[in-house]
Amino acid sequence: MMVQEHKQLPPVPALDARLLAAAAYVRRGALAADIGCDHGKLAVYLARTGTARHVVAVDIRPAPLARAQVLVEKHGCSAGVECRLGDGLCALKPCEADDIVIAGVSGVTAAILGAAQPFWQPGKRFVFVPATRRAELRGWLWGHGFSLLDETPVQAAGRFYTVMCAEYTGQVHTPALLECAVGLSAKPTGASAGYLRHVAKLVRKYTLGVPQAEQAPFVQLAGQVDALAERCEREAQK
């Protein structure tokens, strides 16, 4: 009698705090897409942990996509992860993804969504990991009928980030300056406090380039963000 040998798979890829937070927003059993997949670790993680029932990993660059394909094959995920060369959501059909992660593309996130209105459907979940221009992204989302469901501030590689989860509702919201600056990031955690202090620092830096007569709202905003950071820090220590 022949005994079939099963290839032992390597451990599930380790994700940094940003991608772990993004993975946590992907709903169990969802069709998922990883836009700008780079090394493919998130897509493989979602497949190996059984979080997503299928993942389309998209990148516009052939070399990173080739590396992602190697990782997929190494982890035995070829049936659960499809690596696809393409430009953002243009590489997908709306029916192919329930939960869409867009990580590391910063200011072009709004451009990706703006060019893909067929994806603006109630029930679709979007997860963002912006490296910069977070206030602009929040304002764009609210101004185009998206609801911000949650945020998870994290620290990775010595820097602070916030991971955002949003859904299209069609309800437009005009946010105040403080809402755009912090969103839903004020949580009783040390990472949240650190992130908010980072935001306050960025606001003060921005204020230096504003005419003196227009600085008052931004000076006030920096103080408000610092106050939120202090509150988060106190609550985290309870």
Side-chain angles (χ1 to χ4, degrees):
M1 180 179 178
M2 294 182 63
V3 177
Q4 185 178 3
E5 292 185 2
H6 294 278
K7 182 180 178 182
Q8 185 173 1
L9 296 176
V12 176
L15 304 182
D16 68 9
R18 291 172 296 176
L19 292 183
L20 273 176
Y25 284 129
V26 175
R27 293 167 289 191
R28 194 82 180 177
L31 295 173
D34 181 10
I35 305 300
C37 66
D38 196 18
H39 40 55
K41 288 183 180 179
L42 175 62
V44 169
Y45 178 93
L46 293 174
R48 282 286 306 273
T49 58
T51 301
R53 71 179 187 270
H54 189 265
V55 186
V56 179
V58 178
D59 207 288
I60 196 171
R61 301 164 299 167
L65 194 70
R67 290 195 293 270
Q69 183 64 57
V70 170
L71 190 71
V72 168
E73 293 171 0
K74 179 180 178 181
H75 284 265
C77 295
S78 296
V81 179
E82 178 189 351
C83 293
R84 190 178 294 178
L85 186 67
D87 185 3
L89 292 171
C90 295
L92 284 176
K93 295 178 182 177
C95 62
E96 291 183 295
D98 308 309
D99 294 1
I100 299 166
V101 180
I102 304 177
V105 292
S106 302
V108 301
T109 301
I112 289 174
L113 276 179
Q117 291 193 23
F119 287 84
W120 297 15
Q121 300 176 7
K124 282 201 185 297
R125 179 171 288 191
F126 296 87
V127 182
F128 308 106
V129 191
T132 60
R133 299 171 68 176
R134 293 166 285 264
E136 288 183 34
L137 175 57
R138 293 186 190 101
W140 188 94
L141 290 170
W142 278 320
H144 289 81
F146 289 82
S147 174
L148 193 58
L149 303 179
D150 195 21
E151 292 191 41
T152 302
V154 297
Q155 186 175 13
R159 297 180 62 187
F160 287 99
Y161 302 85
T162 188
V163 180
M164 305 178 192
C165 181
E167 181 177 312
Y168 181 75
T169 62
Q171 297 180 353
V172 174
H173 169 59
T174 303
L177 200 58
L178 181 61
E179 284 182 279
C180 276
V182 304
L184 303 178
S185 64
K187 305 288 182 67
T189 66
S192 182
Y195 169 73
L196 290 170
R197 292 192 191 285
H198 171 65
V199 171
K201 182 179 178 181
L202 291 178
V203 172
R204 289 190 172 93
K205 183 178 179 180
Y206 173 80
T207 304
L208 296 176
V210 174
Q212 190 170 3
E214 301 173 16
Q215 289 181 0
F218 301 103
V219 172
Q220 182 183 26
L221 175 62
Q224 290 173 320
V225 177
D226 267 335
L228 282 174
E230 291 174 10
R231 190 187 75 186
C232 291
E233 206 163 41
R234 288 195 303 269
E235 292 177 351
Q237 293 171 353
K238 289 181 181 179

